[in-house]
Amino acid sequence: MSFGWKYQATHEGPRFKLAEYLKALTAILLIAWLFKGPLRLDAYNDQLVYAIVALLFAFEVLSVGKWFGVTVSGVVFALAKGFFWTSIFLFFGQWLGMSKNLHDYAGTAFAYAVVLVIAGLLLAKFDERRLDVKVEGKAYEFNGADFDGVKLEGNGKAYPVKFGRRKVGWVIDGEVTVRAGTPLGKITKKLLSPVIVWTEEDIAGRKVPADPDFVRRVSGLVNPDRLYRDKKRASVVDLGFLKVYEGEGFEYVKLPFIEVIETPGGEEVRIGPMRFREGNPEMPPGDMLTIRELRNGFQLTRVGDRLRIQTDEYSIEVDGERVTYRSGNEVLSLGETVSLRSGDVSVSVGRGRAKIRIEDVIISAREGRVRIRAGGRTYTVEDPDAYRLVRKKAKEIVEEQSAELIEGLGIDRALLNKRVKELLDELMGYIG
């Protein structure tokens, strides 16, 4: 597993970018001070120390609010960290050429750090109530939004949702329709108000009068325990500050200080500015987006080029050109391998192979050979034409049944039995 430093803020606001640049500048000045002799900077010894200490405080204070928004306790903890790093620097500096009068302040700086940590812990009690998901009592005009392939159409009012002082989403009161393109076609769903959109993008227009009763009603619905009370094993969770996505060969978990990505190509764990990587994991190119009905079962989530749509009746997961549709015990997969499964029925077509199973009938084709098991007997056909016929018919069956499945009608057993009987009749001609 490799290790590396990543000087990139999670939130790309100008203040946080400046904090990251100041961290890099502090590191450069530390190196310059360490090699001040060869660099002929001995005459500027004290000035370099003052500059390093100032930068330690500067980037800590500028980083306040990166994860939870600016709070009083956050500022106090930032000052405590500044004094702590200063005490470490001044203490060990005595063996690296630091003047004694500066080194003597190491104990004082450490004492300040301890006292400020205690003060920060006490003040955090007042900030705890702010570190929660809440709907703001402000309303803005909503006239639709486009999230690069996922569209929200309609109009109404958008209310900001905040975690601490950081905006993590919006609650929409009004008529909303979501449209998303998939390889199965365009998914269109009219959503019932209220609808929550977990995104840091700005989707609001001008400020309009708010409805206090609406804010009061939805505030309870946005509570994380209510949202996921019956879905403890949910494979997709998006609360703005907490993101979980588990898909086919892909896992993505993001907390305020931690981000974990696991793919077949490898995995990566980020803890603050540190990054641990094994292999070459697929990195999601964009942030996570979730659109969810607060009173019903619809939820759409996108992370990178992956898209999952969940309703009370079905779910669709898209990964590039690969699509998986599930409804009850019926599963349709489209991609390099095309397959349809439901109880004792399965049809699959892959590279160089095909298989059809319905009750006690099994027809498989591979490498120019066809094997048939029906009525308690087994037949083998060595014929390229029969092999191509099975692959062609299997693909036609999947395409024909998938249309019914996506419409919510389920597998048409009568039609499936008819198609399999037609195929068996044609294959009997090769057996003679």
Side-chain angles (χ1 to χ4, degrees), residues 377-391:
R377 303 184 64 180
T378 301
Y379 307 90
T380 300
V381 179
E382 299 275 358
D383 191 303
D385 290 336
Y387 161 76
R388 285 190 289 269
L389 174 65
V390 173
R391 294 193 74 242

Side-chain angles (χ1 to χ4, degrees), residues 382-417:
E382 299 275 358
D383 191 303
D385 290 336
Y387 161 76
R388 285 190 289 269
L389 174 65
V390 173
R391 294 193 74 242
K392 177 185 176 184
K393 290 294 184 181
K395 194 169 184 179
E396 288 177 355
I397 289 172
V398 173
E399 291 174 350
E400 188 175 54
Q401 292 288 336
S402 64
E404 300 285 319
L405 196 61
I406 294 170
E407 290 293 328
L409 302 176
I411 290 177
D412 188 335
R413 289 282 185 138
L415 182 60
L416 182 60
N417 285 326

Side-chain angles (χ1 to χ4, degrees), residues 32-74:
W33 178 80
L34 184 63
F35 296 102
K36 55 187 175 294
L39 295 174
R40 298 182 179 181
L41 296 174
D42 289 308
Y44 303 99
N45 188 354
D46 288 0
Q47 288 87 340
L48 285 172
V49 172
Y50 294 143
I52 291 169
V53 170
L55 287 171
L56 287 172
F57 280 93
F59 72 68
E60 289 293 354
V61 172
L62 286 172
S63 298
V64 173
K66 178 186 292 187
W67 309 106
F68 304 114
V70 178
T71 61
V72 175
S73 60

Side-chain angles (χ1 to χ4, degrees), residues 40-338:
R40 298 182 179 181
L41 296 174
D42 289 308
Y44 303 99
N45 188 354
D46 288 0
Q47 288 87 340
L48 285 172
V49 172
Y50 294 143
I52 291 169
V53 170
L55 287 171
L56 287 172
F57 280 93
F59 72 68
E60 289 293 354
V61 172
L62 286 172
S63 298
V64 173
K66 178 186 292 187
W67 309 106
F68 304 114
V70 178
T71 61
V72 175
S73 60
V75 174
V76 173
F77 279 126
L79 293 174
K81 289 169 67 178
F83 276 109
F84 175 76
W85 294 124
T86 299
S87 68
I88 297 295
F89 175 46
L90 296 181
F91 178 77
F92 288 99
Q94 64 178 316
W95 292 288
L96 300 171
M98 183 180 292
S99 59
K100 187 177 183 305
N101 63 318
L102 290 176
H103 161 69
D104 289 341
Y105 286 105
T108 303
F110 184 76
Y112 269 99
V114 172
V115 173
L116 285 171
V117 166
I118 295 172
L121 290 173
L122 295 173
L123 288 170
K125 296 295 182 180
F126 295 97
D127 290 326
E128 278 181 0
R129 54 193 175 89
R130 298 179 182 176
L131 298 181
D132 198 3
V133 180
K134 64 178 182 180
V135 181
E136 290 251 292
K138 302 175 183 177
Y140 300 85
E141 189 178 54
F142 175 77
N143 291 309
D146 190 340
F147 300 99
D148 190 22
V150 177
K151 293 185 178 181
L152 275 178
E153 300 176 354
N155 55 74
K157 296 180 180 180
Y159 295 78
V161 180
K162 289 192 173 183
F163 176 65
R165 298 191 180 185
R166 193 178 123 223
K167 179 167 57 61
V168 293
W170 301 84
V171 173
I172 301 172
D173 179 21
E175 298 181 357
V176 179
T177 299
V178 62
R179 302 185 190 276
T182 75
L184 295 176
K186 183 165 287 188
I187 304 297
T188 301
K189 173 74 172 177
K190 186 173 182 179
L191 307 182
L192 297 177
S193 177
V195 175
I196 192 164
V197 183
W198 295 109
T199 179
E200 294 183 18
E201 292 188 28
D202 192 357
I203 65 173
R206 62 185 179 86
K207 193 171 183 179
V208 294
D211 182 352
D213 290 335
F214 175 81
V215 174
R216 186 167 52 254
R217 289 196 306 271
V218 299
S219 292
L221 297 175
V222 172
N223 182 282
D225 291 337
R226 181 182 292 271
L227 274 174
Y228 298 98
R229 181 184 301 165
D230 300 324
K231 299 185 178 182
K232 294 181 180 179
R233 297 185 180 180
S235 55
V236 175
V237 177
D238 190 350
L239 297 174
F241 63 97
L242 166 64
K243 302 174 187 289
V244 177
Y245 187 103
E246 296 181 12
E248 301 290 338
F250 180 89
E251 292 187 15
Y252 176 64
V253 179
K254 186 175 181 182
L255 303 173
F257 302 102
I258 300 173
E259 186 174 23
V260 180
I261 300 168
E262 290 188 27
T263 72
E267 63 181 84
E268 177 171 302
V269 179
R270 300 181 192 179
I271 304 174
M274 295 180 292
R275 179 182 64 184
F276 303 87
R277 174 180 288 185
E278 184 175 4
N280 187 27
E282 166 198 347
M283 303 301 292
D287 201 1
M288 195 161 161
L289 164 73
T290 292
I291 301 169
R292 179 186 175 97
E293 285 180 317
L294 285 175
R295 288 197 174 95
N296 295 283
F298 179 87
Q299 176 170 308
L300 178 151
T301 300
R302 187 188 66 191
V303 51
D305 61 353
R306 294 172 178 269
L307 178 71
R308 175 174 289 181
I309 299 173
Q310 181 76 48
T311 73
D312 290 331
E313 295 82 27
Y314 66 85
S315 70
I316 298 175
E317 183 168 357
V318 180
D319 176 15
E321 294 300 317
R322 189 170 72 235
V323 185
T324 304
Y325 176 96
R326 290 183 173 87
S327 179
N329 67 340
E330 299 174 333
V331 181
L332 169 67
S333 298
L334 303 177
E336 186 174 335
T337 298
V338 178

